[in-house]
Amino acid sequence: AFWALNQRSMREYTAIEANDHSSRIAMDIMRKNGSSSFVHNGVQFRKDLVPSLETKYDLVIVHRTMIELASEKERFKLAEELWRRTNRFLILIES
């Protein structure tokens, strides 16, 4: 998703990943030719969602997250919370 969006002149990206290993892999992929800087200046990584529901995003992409939640109730709760954080588009990608 990042690479596709990077072609569209996005100002900033927030990647949320609780797993340290997955975050490190994503960070390494996004680095400029082995340097410490990312290919885009507006990339930031977080382990959790921003606590405030006032923080809104134009596009929220959720990939293989819902399947990891134990119950249907938890999945609906997360979907509702993500929708409240979305200005325009919410994309859910699940198997």
Side-chain angles (χ1 to χ4, degrees), residues 17-80:
E17 175 58 64
N19 182 287
D20 288 332
H21 181 69
S22 295
S23 284
R24 281 193 301 272
I25 290 171
M27 287 179 194
D28 288 344
I29 290 170
M30 291 184 187
R31 293 193 199 286
K32 290 180 186 174
N33 299 325
S35 76
S36 61
S37 60
F38 296 123
V39 295
H40 189 286
N41 292 333
V43 175
Q44 52 184 302
F45 286 84
R46 297 183 51 85
K47 283 185 167 273
D48 299 300
L49 291 170
V50 175
S52 171
L53 287 175
E54 299 300 313
T55 302
K56 304 280 186 181
Y57 302 94
D58 290 334
L59 172 64
V60 175
I61 301 172
V62 182
H63 182 254
R64 296 188 55 94
T65 301
M66 299 297 191
I67 194 96
E68 296 179 8
L69 299 176
S71 71
E72 184 176 309
K73 183 178 180 179
E74 288 177 283
R75 289 188 286 275
F76 276 110
K77 181 180 176 186
L78 178 59
E80 185 177 80

Side-chain angles (χ1 to χ4, degrees), residues 6-22:
N6 200 30
Q7 302 297 315
R8 305 293 296 175
S9 306
M10 302 299 273
R11 288 183 296 138
E12 61 183 84
Y13 306 85
T14 301
I16 299 172
E17 175 58 64
N19 182 287
D20 288 332
H21 181 69
S22 295

